[in-house]
Amino acid sequence: MLTYAKPVAAVTGALALAASLTACGGSSAASDEKVVTVYSADGLKGEKGDGWYDKVFADFEKETGITVKYVEGGSGEMVQRALREKSNTQADVIVTLPPFIQQAGSKGLLQKYTPKGADQVDGADKAADGSWTSVVNNYFGFIHNKKELPQAPGTWEALLDKKFENRLQYSTPGVAGDGTAVLIKAMHDFGGQAPAMEYLKKLQANNVGPSSSTSKLAPKVDKGELLVANGDVQMNFAQAKSMPNLALWFPAKEGGKPTTFALPYAAGLVDKAPHTENGKKLLDFLLSEGAQREVSAVGGGFPARKDIKTTDANAIELAKLIEGVEIFEPDWADIDKNLSAYVDAWKSATGS
């Protein structure tokens, strides 16, 4: 795993978690302890402590007296960590992008719990068995440096141009949720696994190399070290507030329309969680009306609850951003079943 910079709050949370685990010798804490541990994909915690998590966690702690211990990384990384700890569970809540939330479920890492407000979440955005529920809706996308590259490349094929050599990077499929999304979108846009891998093999000539987390690519794009990288709408929209050279775009296959797909942050209660009741309270809070109303205004994302209609400036801008972009729905059951095979095919094609 590559070392990468994390928000100060995330590092603090990780250190606090490590300290608490050391103090208790790695054993489960008392069930009445006023703490809840969250393992999450990056993107919802602000670089400057101004993200949706920062606001919602602070409100939750104030209302309940329960301290949130926070650990972040790539979606796949968080699932693998929870899997390694299965015999000595440390996390109470896990939040990842698809297909990793499905993977967490299929590997027995989640227990069934339906948070309050989940009845207002679309069926496609929650598990039929009640093991996970989306808390923030989101879409896959790419970013470019609008200062050095004022016009977005537009197509996948345009990214093969020599001008992108060593100035293009995407996060690692199978490790990062957004990196896995590159595979999913390429297979959709090119019409299957074989043509997608053929394209990604060509693209590798320009690719800087692996990245375990997508969030660290945006600063590189903003500085001009990279011209193009992958990302997602919520995270990059929020980052653009402090990174003025970022612009979002959605690749199209030459001759086709730009496409994207929903890539929500989905949360589940960890099986045998040390603080199950606190985990339930946090999940309820994340889907509460107050927290959901701040998803766009504070987090730059889309509310998971369909009964929450936001009209703030961010919500209006976000709606315009995906206007005219074709939204498809991946076969998540297939992806969950065959993810390892798809990632292996990508490794073989790219020599990664």
Side-chain angles (χ1 to χ4, degrees), residues 8-324:
V8 173
V11 175
T12 304
L15 291 174
L17 172 64
S20 69
L21 297 185
T22 303
C24 65
S27 62
S28 294
S31 60
D32 60 351
E33 190 180 358
K34 301 286 277 184
V35 67
V36 61
T37 299
V38 179
Y39 284 8
S40 178
D42 46 354
L44 292 174
K45 203 161 187 35
E47 297 286 335
K48 298 180 179 179
D50 55 357
W52 186 66
Y53 271 165
D54 300 285
K55 176 71 167 65
V56 173
F57 288 170
D59 290 346
F60 175 75
E61 290 179 352
K62 186 177 179 181
E63 183 172 306
T64 65
I66 298 168
T67 300
V68 178
K69 304 293 186 185
Y70 177 75
V71 181
E72 75 169 28
S75 288
E77 183 187 351
M78 291 295 94
V79 171
Q80 287 304 312
R81 178 167 178 166
L83 197 58
R84 290 194 302 271
E85 297 170 349
K86 202 172 180 183
S87 61
N88 183 25
T89 309
Q90 306 298 339
D92 300 301
V93 170
I94 190 164
V95 185
T96 77
L97 305 181
F100 295 99
I101 195 68
Q102 289 90 340
Q103 187 183 80
S106 65
K107 291 183 181 296
L109 292 176
L110 305 177
Q111 58 175 300
K112 295 176 185 177
Y113 177 66
T114 304
K116 294 171 186 173
D119 59 318
Q120 292 296 331
V121 176
D122 278 332
D125 296 328
K126 59 187 176 185
D129 67 356
S131 59
W132 57 266
T133 308
S134 296
V135 292
V136 171
N137 275 344
N138 192 18
Y139 295 93
F140 176 63
F142 271 64
I143 47 175
H144 68 101
N145 180 299
K146 63 183 180 183
K147 184 179 179 182
E148 293 193 40
L149 193 70
Q151 189 69 33
T155 66
W156 287 107
E157 289 81 359
L159 296 177
L160 300 176
D161 193 286
K162 288 285 285 183
K163 71 182 177 185
F164 294 109
E165 187 174 359
N166 292 322
R167 300 195 73 188
L168 174 153
Q169 191 173 18
Y170 61 91
S171 50
T172 308
V175 176
D178 289 322
T180 306
V182 172
L183 284 190
I184 295 169
K185 180 169 155 59
M187 287 192 293
H188 172 271
D189 290 0
F190 286 95
Q193 180 182 322
M197 298 309 161
E198 185 182 336
Y199 167 79
L200 291 170
K201 181 178 181 178
K202 294 176 186 174
L203 185 66
Q204 195 65 11
N206 289 342
N207 187 17
V208 170
S211 174
S212 64
S213 175
T214 314
S215 65
K216 71 174 186 177
L217 300 182
K220 294 181 181 180
V221 174
D222 183 58
K223 292 172 188 172
E225 293 173 30
L226 298 173
L227 290 177
V228 170
N230 68 316
D232 62 67
V233 172
Q234 177 279 323
M235 178 172 64
N236 296 142
F237 184 86
Q239 288 172 319
K241 299 299 181 183
S242 59
M243 300 179 194
N245 296 319
L246 289 190
L248 278 142
W249 66 290
F250 304 91
K253 187 177 183 299
E254 211 163 64
K257 292 180 66 175
T259 67
T260 188
F261 61 96
L263 204 59
Y265 290 89
L269 188 65
V270 178
D271 187 45
K272 299 181 178 65
H275 314 100
T276 293
E277 291 308 309
N278 295 347
K280 290 177 179 179
K281 288 176 184 176
L282 180 61
L283 288 171
D284 288 348
F285 198 84
L286 295 177
L287 271 183
S288 67
E289 186 174 335
Q292 287 290 300
R293 288 201 177 280
E294 293 175 327
V295 167
S296 56
V298 177
F302 304 79
R305 284 177 53 162
K306 57 191 175 184
D307 62 328
I308 304 294
K309 308 297 181 187
T310 51
T311 57
D312 56 89
N314 282 355
I316 293 166
E317 198 174 337
L318 285 162
K320 286 180 182 175
L321 193 61
I322 60 169
E323 200 172 295

